[in-house]
Amino acid sequence: MKTTTTTQTGLKILIIGAGYAGLATVIHLRKRLPSAHITVVDQQAAHTILTRLHHTAQHPLADIQLPLQELATRFDFTFVQHAVSFDASQLLAWQHNQYVQLEDKKIEFDYLVIATGAPHVAQTKASSGYDLAGLSQHCLATLLKKLMANYANEALAINIIGAGPTGIQFAFAIEQVLSRCQIAYQLNLFDSQAQLLEPFPASMVRYVEQRLAEKKITVFPQHYFKGEQGTDLVFDDNASDSITVQRSDLSLFFLGKKDVYPLQANSSGQVLSQGQVLTHVFTAGDCSHYVDMGANAMTSQNALRKGKAVARNILKEAGLVPFCLPYMHQEVGYILSIGADDAVGWLGNKHILVKGLPAMMAKEMIEAQYDLLLKGIDCSLF
Ligand SMILES: Cc1cc2nc3c(=O)[nH]c(=O)nc-3n(C[C@H](O)[C@H](O)[C@H](O)COP(=O)(O)OP(=O)(O)OC[C@H]3O[C@@H](n4cnc5c(N)ncnc54)[C@H](O)[C@@H]3O)c2cc1C
């Protein structure tokens, strides 16, 4: 194994995954290490601001996608578009050899950060409709425009399968477009769970349910998607032990993330594999589970904090700072957007409900903070 260069001049850092966690690591490292060689590898050409994906019901995809080459110029890193796969033995080899081989390209590193996110459950049972991957390629506003152009007298039937936070944010965003265009609609949310938004505080759930009812968005709990029958969708209704068939002009699938933490890490973010601490291999974001302390929920907030913690711990590991606190972040809130004129969530602790204008302002501030971070300005309080 090589010994690490402890002067910042020659430090080589490789980051795989340019989502929230990977970019947070880059931005914090670049501030402290102006002359380090930072390379970022991502399978996509652009960074997608996922927390704003529902905005594409009204705005072009380009508004929430930042070309990684542009960010590479802004933060002075080398960008390589490539998918990287790994397993436990590959991790050990990376720790030992300190390079990643991409076909004919060998990228050496002193520290590697794996920030590849969590895999989303892909929709495989229907030939039509869009899942998260589809909506990152096809702008929802364009899809809605096409539907509305062909709209006759029958109400448009739009079905969202998966009524988690993402499905709900999309339902409100679509409702807003259809209402403004005075299009009659049947907007349905299907979910296999009996209780909507189960991990969230009851008062928040009640607020969302009231708003869904006001906007005439129908929720079908305990409905498990089976497949298609022509243009109809077929569900097992587990509550009544029957089948529900639903006409669909547009189907959107938000089936959640695969509930796997591919990488275990210590509180410095160093990967734990086969009973070893991989001192040169760090991880952050949704692909990581820190075993000691700190929040691991798959949120952008935790991804950004883990990215920042990893950047600091790399500096410590390289001997460039004398000490550094471990990752201890606890979530300070979660706000759900429910249309252009409303939001709801909790701030501080789960008993403090915020809704309406204060919640919208908090959500705006969180998004504005992220925009600033992407310009190199970190104004997070925690
Ligand atoms: C639609 C949607 C809405 C959301 N809304 C909210 C919200 O309101 N609030 C909130 O807190 N959280 C929200 N989340 C969750 C939040 O977006 C995630 O927690 C966050 O994106 C995790 O960041 P990450 O960097 O770990 O992963 P990601 O942001 O997913 O980034 C992973 C990156 O790794 C790349 N990658 C993946 N595999 C490979 C590979 N094999 N090789 C190379 N590159 C690879 C990907 O292309 C991607 O750029 C939302 C998620 C979605 C999908």
Side-chain angles (χ1 to χ4, degrees), residues 16-22 41-44 50-51 53 82-85 115-117 120 132 166 169-170 257 284-287 298-301 303 334-335 363:
I16 305 176
Y20 288 73
V41 180
D42 198 291
Q43 60 193 5
Q44 304 293 340
L50 287 169
T51 52
L53 194 59
H82 206 290
V84 185
S85 54
T116 46
H120 292 273
L132 215 48
T166 300
Q169 295 196 121
F170 268 89
K257 290 172 183 171
D286 284 359
C287 66
M298 293 181 185
T299 64
S300 55
Q301 184 189 132
Y334 192 97
I335 312 250
K363 181 93 176 155

